[in-house]
Amino acid sequence: NLKKFLTRELDYFLKNEVLSLDFLSPDWNPEQAQKAIEINLLTAAAIRELALQIISFLHETEEFQKRLWEKKKFVVQSDYCMTMDRIPEKVYDDIVEHILTDKDQKQLKNWQDLAFIENLKIDKDYIKAHDKLVLDTQYLPRPLKYRPLSGIDNLDEQTGGLLINSENWQALNLLQKKYENKIKCVYIDPPYNSKSSEIIYKNTYKHSSWISMMENRIANDKKMRKNDCVFICAIDENEQNNLGILLALLFPDSEKTCISIVHNPGGIQGDNFSYTHEYAFFIYPKGGRYIGLENRQDQADIRPLRDVSKGDHLREAAANCFYPIYIKNRKIIGFGDVCNDSFHPTSANVIREDGIIEIYPIDSKGNERKWVFARNTVESIKDELKVEYNKKRKILDIIRTKTNFNYKTVWTNTKYNSNIYGSKILNNIMGKEVFSFPKSLYNVIDCIDSATCAKSEQFILDYFAGSGTTGHAVINLNREDGGQRKYILVEMGEYFDTVTKPRIQKVMYTRNWKNGKPQDMDGYSHIFQYLKLEQYEDTLNNIRFRETPEAVQAFSFRDRIQYLLGKGAADSVSLMNIEKFSRPFDYTLDILKLNERQPIKIDLVTTFNYLLGIEVRRYLVEDYNNREYHIVIGEHKGQAYQIVWRNFDKKLDLAKERYRIKAAEWFDENAETFCNGDNAFGAQSIEAEFYRLMFEDVANA
């Protein structure tokens, strides 16, 4: 809000630096005073007039930059990685044939770089025997690269992860619609702004700049969090206090717990103390259980289910805790209803005629006590209960073995050591040191496991993904319990291609690595999509100014610039070339690559999918009359969508196309239908909707 800030500063400057009260001296002269006042006011008026013009110009410049920043960004690249066992049978042979006959051997060389294969001389039988080899669709030519996708029903449902190479605010901005109210856990490990490598800014307000960066990102993921989402942020002592204050402001109605994790037992030397721990803030809703339990087998608590604590904890103290537990062949087969107050069993064990034994919480003195759990909750711990014979009393008793406990607020287990279970694990996977200070894998596993609890499909978001530990943790959790958790990782660093993505590919192939070599074929059947997005700098590089009559007629350079940046921006600036939608598969942007601007083909189809927020069910590539068609079938908030893309720069028979489209097995009369260019089958314009969605949240668009 530059205009408001500078206007306020201008008022301060005029009152304190320009307007003078020097004429109020003991021997002041009315004539001289009048003259001084006039000079003061004229000077202030002149400075103010000039300053307001400068402020207006700067404000318009900032607003223009803001519009460029907030504009949704194009997907520059969209591809998939999938284990070979996920390739549909009808296209499997064609894919393998291309891999083995490609003269550039792109996929084979990628497998060799990832250490999946030792040399390039492999055959079909080898690939079939190693079904966790990871296909990367970027190495397939069009349209072959889309054929594996065409054969997968419920594509997004089958895709277990999403990696995005982008500045994280831009990525979150694009993800808003698709993942609205879907994220169960946010886990982030942002740059800590440590004293040894502080983030460098243009001024000395380093802490405030760091806090501003964090506030922007956390605020931008808000729409995607579910009501029961657990937000976790790792941090060290340098920003822990500031982050705590920020989180209290951003989550005023939530619980906030800060835990300590001993991640470096050797310590980092300070002037007075040696730091061995870092912190993790857990933010979750008030009132209810949102953090799961920790399994501690070595600290099992074994005791009778009957309340044996000191005091008169009798039946009358909790009537709904007195009920029979049914036993047969020394196994629990059920739980009876709460007993009527007038009913009194004759003993702790009542044998029925059908052989079932009813066990009641009666002590050795015959006192009717109570079970520790009420009837409406006891079944939740059934797996922790077993039947034991009490030799002293000569009866059967119910024993609870408790191994799951609340997580403590200080984590000291050696598995959280970042050197051993962070750096060493990653170095073994990659074969060398490629990343500084990766998190302990088990640190992240326990954070995510505590926040997600259930095995069902749940999304975990990490927009400071670094080396990809969060994705690795999610895959390992699913390996262990058969869960369906899904990860979304965002990373802007150049190491996205050399560390983040390869790490996920490698742990798909096997979980066990040493010195960069796989130790077995303990693979994980998996699919993930990865995207690369247009960035703010790319947007700047692709601005095209149109010389409108109004701009040409502007009588000064300043007025002309102000016209372009202000009211005339919509007419004078082009950020999207609608005419290029006639050949959507060849749409290009000037993207900075290898330190130079290059025209790069971008993915309009995937960009539009994310703008609409649809969950893709099917991605079809078909040929109608020697013209390539891409059809996306999906849904958003219960509404079905079907989107048709094709080239129409050459003559197109709309009547024939209409007949072919409406006769297709995928066509749904009740779906929201979009198509680029003119059509005769009742579809809405992709171009108009694309433009609207690209700029819908832009300030003053």
Side-chain angles (χ1 to χ4, degrees), residues 12 15 17 42 54 56 72 91 114 158 190 222 240 290-291 347 405 428 461 476 479 486 516 531 569 587 607 611 680:
Y12 177 86
K15 292 172 184 176
E17 303 294 338
L42 287 171
I54 295 172
S56 177
K72 300 291 197 305
V91 299
L114 293 169
Q158 296 296 320
K222 183 177 181 180
Q240 185 251 353
Y290 298 95
I291 303 298
S347 67
F405 303 86
N428 270 325
L461 170 64
N476 274 23
R479 265 185 166 124
K486 297 185 177 186
L531 310 176
Y587 193 108
T607 304
L611 291 175

Side-chain angles (χ1 to χ4, degrees), residues 54-92:
I54 295 172
I55 290 172
S56 177
F57 176 68
L58 293 175
H59 164 70
E60 288 157 0
T61 304
E62 186 196 48
E63 287 298 300
F64 182 63
Q65 289 178 306
K66 186 177 179 182
R67 290 197 291 272
L68 299 183
W69 175 263
E70 293 181 343
K71 176 190 82 71
K72 300 291 197 305
K73 299 301 184 282
F74 288 102
V75 174
V76 175
Q77 180 186 357
S78 170
D79 277 290
Y80 286 80
C81 287
M82 62 183 73
T83 47
M84 294 297 291
D85 64 329
R86 290 298 195 101
I87 298 175
E89 186 177 347
K90 64 182 179 181
V91 299
Y92 181 88

Side-chain angles (χ1 to χ4, degrees), residues 374-390:
R375 176 62 186 85
N376 61 337
T377 60
V378 68
E379 293 188 51
S380 67
I381 61 157
K382 181 180 178 182
D383 293 341
E384 298 178 4
L385 305 180
K386 66 177 181 178
V387 181
E388 280 192 2
Y389 182 69
N390 187 322

Side-chain angles (χ1 to χ4, degrees), residues 81-84 87 92 95-96 99-100 105-120 122-124 126-128 130-137 139 505-506 509 513 516-518:
C81 287
M82 62 183 73
T83 47
M84 294 297 291
I87 298 175
Y92 181 88
I95 299 294
V96 172
I99 292 171
L100 297 175
Q105 298 182 302
K106 292 178 182 177
Q107 184 63 83
L108 291 176
K109 288 177 180 177
N110 175 247
W111 286 348
Q112 189 176 50
D113 291 341
L114 293 169
F116 294 168
I117 59 177
E118 294 183 0
N119 58 68
L120 304 178
I122 63 172
D123 57 20
K124 293 180 180 179
Y126 183 93
I127 293 176
K128 190 171 184 179
H130 296 74
D131 66 353
K132 299 306 183 292
L133 288 165
V134 182
L135 172 74
D136 190 336
T137 60
Y139 300 124
Q505 291 172 291
K506 280 172 168 270
Y509 185 69
W513 292 83
K517 302 294 183 183

Side-chain angles (χ1 to χ4, degrees), residues 306 330 347-351 357-365 371 387-399:
R306 174 172 41 86
R330 293 202 175 186
S347 67
N349 290 179
V350 176
I351 303 174
I357 301 174
E358 297 177 356
I359 299 184
Y360 294 91
I362 298 177
D363 65 19
S364 59
K365 296 180 180 180
W371 299 118
V387 181
E388 280 192 2
Y389 182 69
N390 187 322
K391 293 181 180 180
K392 186 176 181 179
R393 295 182 61 191
K394 296 182 180 180
I395 64 168
L396 295 177
D397 207 351
I398 305 297
I399 304 299

Side-chain angles (χ1 to χ4, degrees), residues 158-373:
Q158 296 296 320
T159 301
L162 173 64
L163 274 62
I164 304 178
N165 187 200
S166 168
E167 192 282 325
N168 51 15
W169 196 93
Q170 304 296 349
L172 293 172
N173 204 30
L174 184 64
L175 296 176
Q176 295 283 331
K177 276 201 170 179
K178 181 165 184 174
Y179 294 101
E180 183 179 356
N181 196 33
K182 288 185 178 180
I183 303 300
K184 180 64 176 71
C185 172
V186 175
Y187 176 89
I188 55 175
D189 179 18
Y192 287 173
N193 206 15
S194 62
K195 295 179 179 65
S196 60
S197 58
E198 289 185 331
I199 299 173
I200 297 176
Y201 300 104
K202 294 180 180 179
N203 53 43
T204 57
Y205 298 99
K206 295 188 175 79
H207 289 295
S208 63
S209 297
W210 186 88
I211 293 169
S212 179
M213 181 267 291
M214 292 298 295
E215 189 276 337
N216 292 164
R217 274 74 188 162
I218 296 172
N220 209 17
D221 76 38
K222 183 177 181 180
K223 288 183 180 179
M224 294 188 284
R225 290 184 237 129
K226 297 178 69 173
N227 292 333
D228 62 349
C229 177
V230 178
F231 181 96
I232 308 169
C233 184
I235 200 68
D236 75 354
E237 76 281 356
N238 290 292
E239 295 291 353
Q240 185 251 353
N241 287 333
N242 292 326
L243 180 64
I245 295 170
L246 174 65
L247 294 176
L249 292 172
L250 293 175
F251 299 91
D253 300 320
S254 298
E255 294 282 356
K256 182 182 75 171
T257 300
C258 183
I259 70 169
S260 298
I261 304 174
V262 178
H263 71 128
N264 185 3
I268 299 174
Q269 299 303 316
D271 292 336
N272 297 289
F273 290 95
S274 180
Y275 288 97
T276 63
H277 70 284
E278 61 179 0
Y279 304 92
F281 281 99
F282 281 70
I283 312 295
Y284 47 93
K286 291 182 178 179
R289 174 167 287 282
Y290 298 95
I291 303 298
L293 300 174
E294 180 184 16
N295 187 285
R296 298 200 290 267
Q297 292 281 355
D298 57 337
Q299 301 176 33
D301 181 7
I302 304 173
R303 64 178 66 188
L305 183 66
R306 174 172 41 86
D307 193 335
V308 294
S309 58
K310 293 181 180 180
D312 295 328
H313 298 289
L314 302 177
R315 172 180 179 176
E316 293 80 9
N320 59 350
C321 292
F322 192 85
Y323 51 87
I325 297 178
Y326 300 140
I327 307 299
K328 190 169 187 178
N329 299 323
R330 293 202 175 186
K331 291 184 179 180
I332 297 173
I333 62 170
F335 302 86
D337 294 333
V338 173
C339 297
N340 189 286
D341 290 344
S342 62
F343 173 75
H344 302 281
T346 55
S347 67
N349 290 179
V350 176
I351 303 174
R352 298 189 336 200
E353 292 182 359
D354 57 6
I356 292 175
I357 301 174
E358 297 177 356
I359 299 184
Y360 294 91
I362 298 177
D363 65 19
S364 59
K365 296 180 180 180
N367 296 316
E368 293 181 352
R369 300 183 70 87
K370 63 187 182 68
W371 299 118
V372 175
F373 279 75

Side-chain angles (χ1 to χ4, degrees), residues 16-57:
N16 292 274
E17 303 294 338
V18 178
L19 295 175
S20 172
L21 298 178
D22 292 343
F23 60 85
L24 292 177
S25 59
D27 56 344
W28 68 287
N29 180 302
E31 275 187 32
Q32 291 177 332
Q34 181 66 29
K35 190 173 182 180
I37 291 172
E38 290 177 359
I39 292 173
N40 260 241
L41 292 176
L42 287 171
T43 303
I47 292 175
R48 187 173 187 275
E49 182 181 353
L50 177 60
L52 287 176
Q53 292 184 48
I54 295 172
I55 290 172
S56 177
F57 176 68

